[in-house]
Every structure is written in C-alpha cells, then in structure tokens.
Amino acid sequence: MELNEFIKNFAEQFDDTDESEIKANTEFHDLEEWGSLTGMGVIAMVKTIYGKTITGKEIRECATVEDLFNLVSSK
C-alpha cells in the first residue's frame, strides 16, 4: 500500500472538495465537507480496497491523512 494511492482513494470520498486540496499533511477533520457520512465512506473504502476494518473512533483519533494511512497500514 502506497501513501499516494491511499490519498487518491481517500480524496474520492469527497464530492465537492478538489483532490488537489488533499495531501498527506491535510487535517481532514477541518475540511468543510468532512462529516459522519464521509467518515462512513472512508470506512467502507478501507474495507473494500484494503480488506481492513477501522472504526469511527480510530478515525477521530487521526489528525492528518497520513495518520489515517499509518493506521490502516498497521492493521
């Protein structure tokens, strides 16, 4: 699993946020479009693409996209 691929897959969960705005150091909780529905999309994306399970609590504990990537990588 590569960070750039993960960022691309993560960015696809957003409808109105431009993909170029999402980088490894992006604090995704601060994105205007971030919400519980997007969080559910991220959980589903991680399960479907990477075959790993993460929880909403684990997502809330991550600050940046790279933190989330590291969480998924560690599973």
Side-chain angles (χ1 to χ4, degrees), residues 11 17-23:
T17 304
D18 191 85
E19 190 174 321
S20 65
E21 289 183 45
I22 300 176
K23 300 182 178 12

Side-chain angles (χ1 to χ4, degrees), residues 25-30 59-65 67-68:
N25 64 348
T26 299
E27 295 186 8
F28 60 90
H29 296 281
D30 294 340
I59 292 174
R60 286 190 298 276
E61 292 171 352
C62 295
T64 66
V65 177
D67 291 342
L68 192 56

Side-chain angles (χ1 to χ4, degrees), residues 41-52:
V42 170
I43 290 171
M45 177 269 295
V46 168
K47 181 71 173 172
T48 302
I49 296 175
Y50 303 104
K52 299 180 180 190

Side-chain angles (χ1 to χ4, degrees), residues 2 6 8 11 23 25-26 29 31-34 37 43-44 53-54 56-57 59-60 63-64 71:
E2 288 188 17
F6 183 83
K8 181 180 181 304
K23 300 182 178 12
N25 64 348
T26 299
H29 296 281
L31 294 171
E32 187 175 319
E33 195 178 349
W34 179 259
L37 216 53
I43 290 171
T53 301
I54 59 172
K57 181 179 185 293
I59 292 174
R60 286 190 298 276
T64 66
L71 168 69

